[in-house]
Amino acid sequence: MAGQVGGFDTHEVFNQPAPLADYDLFSADAALSEGVVREGAGWAIDRLRALGSRCSDPAIIELGRLANANPPALRTFDRFGHRRDEVEFHPAWHALLELLFDHGVHSSPWAEPRPGAHVARAARFMMMAQVECGTLCPVTMTYGSVPALRRDAAIAATWLPPIHSRRYDRRFLPVGEKTGAMIGMGLTEKQGGSDVRANTTRAEPIGAGGREYRLVGHKWFLSAPMCDAFLVTAQAPDGMTCFFMPRFTPDGASNAIRLQRLKDKLGNRSNASSEVEFAGAWALRLGEEGRGLPTILEMGTYTRLDCALGTTGIMRQAVSQAVHHTAHRSAFQKRLIDQPLMRSVLADLALEVEAAIALCLRMARAFDTETDQGEIALRRLLTPAAKYWICKRGPTLAAEAMETLGGGGYVEESILPRIYREMPVNSIWEGSGNVMCLDVLRSLARAPESGETLMAELIPARGGNVHLDAAIAALETALTGPATRDEATARRLTERLVLTLQGALLVRHAPASVADAFCATRLGEHRAGAFGALPPGLDLATIIARADPRAET
Ligand SMILES: Cc1cc2nc3c(=O)[nH]c(=O)nc-3n(C[C@H](O)[C@H](O)[C@H](O)COP(=O)(O)OP(=O)(O)OC[C@H]3O[C@@H](n4cnc5c(N)ncnc54)[C@H](O)[C@@H]3O)c2cc1C
């Protein structure tokens, strides 16, 4: 197409790629589609392909842009001065939630349990993250709340049917009048987020010996406040307790959850994150008084899994954009993708994503059992470890992927700025980096079998790569030594644990060129600071070809 000024053709637009759209995100992703079958969800492939195609439909991609370009607005009062405490979202937000509900991302493993259900959901979550991340916040909280809600028969009877439903319902109504429901969570207060025990919100029982309470206090972060109910923490007479707090009281009145303001956030802008006050809000106790932390942390295991999945999904989208752009852009008489140094960058980015996908799907399989104690211990250990490392890699990867697009990657018409802004949040919420690494130490101390299950996962890969063999030996020593009790070196141990497992998964399941390159650059002596500083002699062509979003496997 020609540029025109005053009837004159100023220049021809060429050497610019077409937008990346209209491909099947699932089938085009070898690491994802192979991993889904390997980890037990081969039965879900048809639906995953269908969602994979939907996720690159230009109309769906546009919903992601619109939802973020038109952030939500708080409506505190109506025009007569009555409290409303509602948030208004752009229609694109609701359309994306309809799609997420339709594919069961919020609840399918609970509503339709079967082997591999969490793996299939993990694949859906990673694909939807490539479209838009704000909507994933209420979806992950809803998913994570179910095990805790199931422990209370009365709450479960009323709330699980609309949570299991595939019909998203945007209306602000009591749950009995809705086709679908979403659940949020409120822990963080101004004086402390990581340290939930520092909560000052008070809970007073209504009457003696019952389960109903009134809560007075505040939450400094309460995301997706239009959820239908929240799991919140507060100090009851016998200590820190978990409560179930709906937006409406049983008599149908609006509960005393006062939305004070919405946060002005770096990213995740489609989603509302509010500051709230509880002015005697009605809530039901969930679990025993004084046992609030274990209850809420059970939810945290699932939401932390999703932090790793979400970052992996957006890393995958960033790499797809990088490979697509460089395949259709030339500089210095060569396609960028054929320039030797660009190939090093692309291959290195691709290795990061391939390893993250393999780890996420393996981790999701550990959620597919309620009886295998080894797997349960493994998921307890891997979730904070994977959340820490994958979410730490996200921002660096996004910046490098953006750079492969040159200046065009930095402007808002590209999806890369949104991806870049989105990256840090998964590292901060649901427990920030240090807190995750301390949790790894806690898991090893409380469930020593988790270290043994991890080693059992590594041992079949022995003999496949010399760097990996050395890393496994070093990790085995570390897991039985003082490093498991040393807070100051917890990041080092966690990083080593994740990289060794990623190396083992790739040695066992990925092409040799991928596994060898990963082990050489992440476990060997060639560890580098920036992406793309690869040693010579790697099979870059195979690594890049596997990451090509246009390559159907
Ligand atoms: C966009 C967004 C949405 C959010 N939505 C919600 C929500 O819906 N519900 C909710 O409850 N919360 C929510 N949060 C809050 C989030 O979970 C907290 O911000 C987070 O857990 C950290 O708590 P904090 O902000 O109080 O930081 P702090 O607890 O003060 O931590 C500050 C830093 O100190 C580190 N640190 C803490 N303890 C230690 C230690 N012992 N050793 C070493 N380092 C340590 C942390 O890793 C962190 O880096 C949201 C946050 C964001 C950014």
Side-chain angles (χ1 to χ4, degrees):
M1 186 199 293
Q4 284 208 334
V5 177
F8 294 99
D9 287 346
T10 57
H11 64 285
E12 201 67 34
V13 177
F14 66 100
N15 196 24
Q16 289 282 0
L20 176 58
D22 291 324
Y23 67 103
D24 169 2
L25 265 67
F26 182 74
S27 305
D29 191 332
L32 182 63
S33 46
E34 291 168 13
V36 158
V37 174
R38 182 172 70 241
E39 304 298 357
W43 50 266
I45 276 183
D46 288 345
R47 284 283 283 165
L48 291 172
R49 283 193 181 130
L51 182 61
S53 298
R54 288 279 278 154
C55 286
S56 70
D57 178 335
I60 301 290
I61 295 173
E62 178 64 358
L63 290 178
R65 189 192 70 77
L66 283 171
N68 284 274
N70 300 279
L74 176 60
R75 304 290 175 226
T76 318
F77 299 98
D78 71 10
R79 67 193 175 108
F80 305 106
H82 305 114
R83 289 207 74 102
R84 276 183 67 188
D85 295 305
E86 287 184 63
V87 177
E88 284 177 0
F89 292 89
H90 189 272
W93 164 269
H94 297 297
L96 287 167
L97 276 169
E98 271 167 22
L99 183 61
L100 284 156
F101 264 65
D102 186 34
H103 284 265
V105 187
H106 65 301
S107 72
S108 54
W110 313 122
E112 297 144 44
R114 60 182 291 184
H118 288 274
V119 174
R121 177 195 173 269
R124 290 183 208 122
F125 197 92
M126 285 191 268
M127 288 196 286
M128 285 301 296
Q130 300 189 47
V131 177
E132 207 285 309
C133 288
T135 41
L136 295 177
C137 173
V139 160
T140 183
M141 292 191 292
T142 304
Y143 163 66
S145 71
V146 171
L149 300 185
R150 278 177 166 176
R151 296 184 192 286
D152 186 301
I155 294 176
T158 307
W159 284 85
L160 289 186
I163 287 173
H164 289 170
S165 159
R166 298 242 176 162
R167 289 174 62 203
Y168 170 68
D169 190 337
R170 68 173 74 178
R171 294 171 303 158
F172 185 42
L173 291 172
V175 66
E177 300 170 42
K178 293 191 65 168
T179 61
M182 299 196 299
I183 309 296
M185 68 197 291
L187 288 75
T188 309
E189 299 183 5
K190 294 188 182 78
Q191 70 283 354
S194 310
D195 188 2
V196 179
R197 285 192 176 82
N199 277 185
T200 59
T201 295
R202 286 174 291 113
E204 295 294 336
I206 303 172
R211 299 178 53 233
E212 298 181 50
Y213 288 67
R214 293 254 173 237
L215 268 62
V216 176
H218 81 284
K219 293 292 166 185
W220 200 32
F221 280 90
L222 186 101
S223 287
M226 294 309 286
C227 281
D228 299 280
F230 303 87
L231 265 62
V232 301
T233 46
Q235 303 286 359
D238 277 347
M240 174 61 58
T241 304
C242 184
F243 295 91
F244 182 75
M245 181 186 280
R247 285 297 309 263
F248 291 88
T249 56
D251 60 5
S254 184
N255 204 357
I257 303 170
R258 309 293 189 221
L259 307 190
Q260 303 295 100
R261 62 171 175 163
L262 301 187
K263 303 281 194 188
D264 186 8
K265 296 176 291 184
L266 167 70
N268 203 254
R269 293 185 70 81
S270 65
N271 181 23
S273 297
S274 62
E275 296 175 17
V276 299
E277 286 183 354
F278 302 145
W282 181 90
L284 284 174
R285 176 167 44 78
L286 191 57
E288 297 304 308
E289 274 195 19
R291 298 284 302 154
L293 278 183
T295 308
I296 204 85
L297 285 179
E298 182 177 24
M299 179 172 178
T301 306
Y302 293 89
T303 54
R304 289 168 181 179
L305 166 71
D306 282 1
C307 290
L309 297 177
T311 296
T312 300
I314 32 180
M315 288 202 299
R316 171 63 197 162
Q317 176 63 216
V319 172
S320 296
Q321 295 286 340
V323 173
H324 173 71
H325 180 88
T326 53
H328 296 91
R329 172 104 171 158
S330 297
F332 304 99
Q333 295 86 48
K334 237 185 208 175
R335 290 190 313 161
L336 285 172
I337 200 171
D338 296 325
Q339 300 282 4
L341 188 50
M342 181 61 89
R343 294 178 73 70
S344 292
V345 172
L346 294 171
D348 209 2
L349 296 173
L351 288 174
E352 196 67 35
V353 177
E354 174 120 18
I357 292 173
L359 175 58
C360 281
L361 293 173
R362 173 63 188 90
M363 194 162 59
R365 172 152 67 88
F367 284 76
D368 264 323
T369 175
E370 288 312 321
T371 50
D372 184 331
Q373 293 309 315
E375 288 290 298
I376 291 169
L378 190 65
R379 78 186 183 215
R380 177 73 186 82
L381 173 66
L382 288 189
T383 320
K387 177 187 183 299
Y388 167 70
W389 183 243
I390 290 174
C391 298
K392 274 280 165 275
R393 297 295 278 167
T396 322
L397 181 139
E400 197 66 61
M402 180 189 287
E403 196 168 321
T404 67
L405 275 70
Y410 193 73
V411 299
E412 293 291 341
E413 284 103 335
S414 159
I415 195 175
L416 266 306
R418 173 145 61 89
I419 288 176
Y420 183 68
R421 282 195 300 270
E422 194 62 42
M423 282 295 188
V425 77
N426 276 335
S427 194
I428 294 175
W429 63 13
E430 301 305 322
S432 307
N434 286 352
V435 172
M436 290 300 92
C437 295
L438 297 177
D439 203 37
V440 167
L441 299 192
R442 204 170 301 119
S443 302
L444 289 168
R446 290 193 184 160
E449 66 273 24
S450 61
E452 289 153 24
T453 313
L454 175 67
M455 289 311 298
E457 192 72 23
L458 302 177
I459 283 164
R462 266 191 176 147
N465 181 283
V466 59
H467 303 300
L468 178 63
D469 286 352
I472 293 174
L475 184 63
E476 195 167 21
T477 307
L479 288 177
T480 52
T484 56
R485 296 180 295 279
D486 183 7
E487 290 192 10
T489 57
R491 281 189 179 221
R492 192 178 160 82
L493 178 70
T494 305
E495 179 179 327
R496 187 187 289 180
L497 186 158
V498 173
L499 288 174
T500 307
L501 178 56
Q502 287 182 323
L505 289 168
L506 294 182
V507 162
R508 289 173 66 187
H509 307 301
S513 41
V514 171
D516 289 345
F518 183 88
C519 293
T521 53
R522 272 68 172 173
L523 301 173
E525 69 272 23
H526 291 293
R527 294 195 64 180
F531 278 106
L534 298 184
L538 302 178
D539 176 9
L540 305 185
T542 303
I543 300 167
I544 297 170
R546 267 174 80 78
D548 184 347
R550 297 291 191 172
E552 299 270 322
T553 56

Short mmCIF file of all heavy atoms in Angstrom, two decimals, residues 20 23-25 28-29 316 319-321 323-324 544-552:
data_model
loop_
_atom_site.label_atom_id
_atom_site.label_comp_id
_atom_site.label_asym_id
_atom_site.label_seq_id
_atom_site.Cartn_x
_atom_site.Cartn_y
_atom_site.Cartn_z
N LEU A 20 0.04 -11.46 13.28
CA LEU A 20 0.03 -12.90 13.57
C LEU A 20 -1.38 -13.28 14.03
O LEU A 20 -1.80 -12.90 15.14
CB LEU A 20 1.06 -13.22 14.67
CG LEU A 20 1.10 -14.67 15.15
CD1 LEU A 20 1.37 -15.63 14.00
CD2 LEU A 20 2.14 -14.84 16.26
N TYR A 23 -4.21 -18.94 13.27
CA TYR A 23 -3.52 -20.23 13.32
C TYR A 23 -4.01 -20.92 14.59
O TYR A 23 -4.66 -20.30 15.43
CB TYR A 23 -1.99 -20.04 13.33
CG TYR A 23 -1.45 -19.38 14.57
CD1 TYR A 23 -0.81 -20.11 15.57
CD2 TYR A 23 -1.58 -18.00 14.77
CE1 TYR A 23 -0.33 -19.50 16.72
CE2 TYR A 23 -1.10 -17.38 15.91
CZ TYR A 23 -0.47 -18.14 16.89
OH TYR A 23 0.00 -17.53 18.03
N ASP A 24 -3.73 -22.20 14.70
CA ASP A 24 -4.19 -22.95 15.88
C ASP A 24 -3.07 -22.98 16.92
O ASP A 24 -2.07 -23.67 16.75
CB ASP A 24 -4.59 -24.36 15.40
CG ASP A 24 -4.83 -25.34 16.55
OD1 ASP A 24 -4.73 -24.94 17.72
OD2 ASP A 24 -5.10 -26.51 16.24
N LEU A 25 -3.26 -22.19 17.97
CA LEU A 25 -2.23 -22.05 19.00
C LEU A 25 -1.82 -23.40 19.59
O LEU A 25 -0.70 -23.56 20.06
CB LEU A 25 -2.74 -21.18 20.17
CG LEU A 25 -2.41 -19.70 20.17
CD1 LEU A 25 -3.12 -19.01 19.04
CD2 LEU A 25 -2.82 -19.07 21.50
N ALA A 28 -0.01 -25.69 16.72
CA ALA A 28 1.25 -25.06 16.29
C ALA A 28 2.31 -25.08 17.39
O ALA A 28 3.43 -24.66 17.15
CB ALA A 28 0.99 -23.62 15.86
N ASP A 29 1.95 -25.55 18.55
CA ASP A 29 2.87 -25.52 19.68
C ASP A 29 3.28 -26.96 20.01
O ASP A 29 2.58 -27.67 20.74
CB ASP A 29 2.17 -24.86 20.88
CG ASP A 29 3.12 -24.54 22.01
OD1 ASP A 29 4.14 -25.25 22.13
OD2 ASP A 29 2.84 -23.59 22.76
N ARG A 316 5.03 -17.58 25.79
CA ARG A 316 4.84 -18.27 24.51
C ARG A 316 4.35 -17.28 23.43
O ARG A 316 4.81 -17.30 22.29
CB ARG A 316 3.84 -19.41 24.69
CG ARG A 316 3.38 -20.07 23.42
CD ARG A 316 4.51 -20.75 22.65
NE ARG A 316 4.10 -21.02 21.27
CZ ARG A 316 4.92 -21.27 20.25
NH1 ARG A 316 6.21 -21.32 20.44
NH2 ARG A 316 4.46 -21.49 19.05
N VAL A 319 7.24 -15.12 22.26
CA VAL A 319 8.17 -15.83 21.37
C VAL A 319 7.53 -16.06 20.00
O VAL A 319 8.19 -15.93 18.97
CB VAL A 319 8.63 -17.15 22.02
CG1 VAL A 319 9.43 -17.99 21.04
CG2 VAL A 319 9.46 -16.85 23.26
N SER A 320 6.24 -16.35 19.98
CA SER A 320 5.54 -16.51 18.70
C SER A 320 5.64 -15.22 17.89
O SER A 320 5.91 -15.23 16.69
CB SER A 320 4.06 -16.86 18.92
OG SER A 320 3.96 -18.11 19.54
N GLN A 321 5.41 -14.10 18.57
CA GLN A 321 5.50 -12.81 17.88
C GLN A 321 6.92 -12.58 17.34
O GLN A 321 7.11 -12.10 16.23
CB GLN A 321 5.13 -11.66 18.84
CG GLN A 321 3.68 -11.66 19.31
CD GLN A 321 2.70 -11.21 18.24
OE1 GLN A 321 3.07 -10.57 17.26
NE2 GLN A 321 1.44 -11.57 18.42
N VAL A 323 9.28 -14.86 16.56
CA VAL A 323 9.62 -15.75 15.43
C VAL A 323 8.86 -15.30 14.18
O VAL A 323 9.43 -15.24 13.08
CB VAL A 323 9.29 -17.22 15.79
CG1 VAL A 323 9.47 -18.12 14.58
CG2 VAL A 323 10.17 -17.69 16.95
N HIS A 324 7.59 -14.95 14.35
CA HIS A 324 6.78 -14.53 13.20
C HIS A 324 7.36 -13.26 12.58
O HIS A 324 7.53 -13.16 11.37
CB HIS A 324 5.34 -14.29 13.66
CG HIS A 324 4.46 -13.69 12.61
ND1 HIS A 324 4.04 -14.40 11.51
CD2 HIS A 324 3.96 -12.44 12.49
CE1 HIS A 324 3.29 -13.60 10.75
NE2 HIS A 324 3.23 -12.41 11.32
N ILE A 544 14.34 -23.39 16.75
CA ILE A 544 13.49 -22.29 16.26
C ILE A 544 12.28 -22.86 15.51
O ILE A 544 11.15 -22.37 15.67
CB ILE A 544 14.30 -21.33 15.37
CG1 ILE A 544 15.41 -20.66 16.19
CG2 ILE A 544 13.39 -20.27 14.74
CD1 ILE A 544 16.41 -19.87 15.36
N ALA A 545 12.51 -23.90 14.73
CA ALA A 545 11.39 -24.48 13.95
C ALA A 545 10.30 -24.96 14.89
O ALA A 545 9.10 -24.80 14.61
CB ALA A 545 11.90 -25.62 13.08
N ARG A 546 10.66 -25.54 16.04
CA ARG A 546 9.63 -25.99 16.99
C ARG A 546 8.84 -24.84 17.57
O ARG A 546 7.71 -25.03 18.02
CB ARG A 546 10.30 -26.77 18.14
CG ARG A 546 10.36 -28.25 17.91
CD ARG A 546 11.14 -28.94 18.99
NE ARG A 546 10.41 -29.18 20.23
CZ ARG A 546 9.53 -30.16 20.41
NH1 ARG A 546 9.19 -30.95 19.40
NH2 ARG A 546 8.94 -30.33 21.58
N ALA A 547 9.43 -23.66 17.60
CA ALA A 547 8.73 -22.52 18.21
C ALA A 547 7.97 -21.70 17.17
O ALA A 547 7.31 -20.72 17.54
CB ALA A 547 9.74 -21.62 18.92
N ASP A 548 8.03 -22.09 15.91
CA ASP A 548 7.38 -21.31 14.84
C ASP A 548 5.86 -21.45 14.96
O ASP A 548 5.33 -22.54 14.83
CB ASP A 548 7.87 -21.82 13.49
CG ASP A 548 7.31 -20.99 12.33
OD1 ASP A 548 6.37 -20.20 12.55
OD2 ASP A 548 7.82 -21.16 11.22
N PRO A 549 5.15 -20.34 15.20
CA PRO A 549 3.68 -20.46 15.39
C PRO A 549 2.95 -20.89 14.13
O PRO A 549 1.78 -21.28 14.21
CB PRO A 549 3.27 -19.05 15.81
CG PRO A 549 4.33 -18.15 15.27
CD PRO A 549 5.60 -18.95 15.31
N ARG A 550 3.59 -20.83 13.01
CA ARG A 550 2.94 -21.26 11.76
C ARG A 550 3.21 -22.71 11.44
O ARG A 550 2.72 -23.22 10.44
CB ARG A 550 3.43 -20.39 10.59
CG ARG A 550 3.07 -18.93 10.75
CD ARG A 550 1.58 -18.74 10.61
NE ARG A 550 1.28 -17.33 10.50
CZ ARG A 550 0.09 -16.86 10.22
NH1 ARG A 550 -0.92 -17.69 10.03
NH2 ARG A 550 -0.12 -15.58 10.14
N ALA A 551 4.01 -23.39 12.27
CA ALA A 551 4.36 -24.78 11.98
C ALA A 551 3.36 -25.69 12.66
O ALA A 551 3.28 -25.73 13.88
CB ALA A 551 5.76 -25.07 12.48
N GLU A 552 2.57 -26.41 11.89
CA GLU A 552 1.63 -27.39 12.46
C GLU A 552 2.40 -28.65 12.77
O GLU A 552 3.16 -29.13 11.94
CB GLU A 552 0.52 -27.71 11.46
CG GLU A 552 -0.33 -26.51 11.09
CD GLU A 552 -1.52 -26.32 12.01
OE1 GLU A 552 -2.10 -27.34 12.40
OE2 GLU A 552 -1.86 -25.17 12.32
#
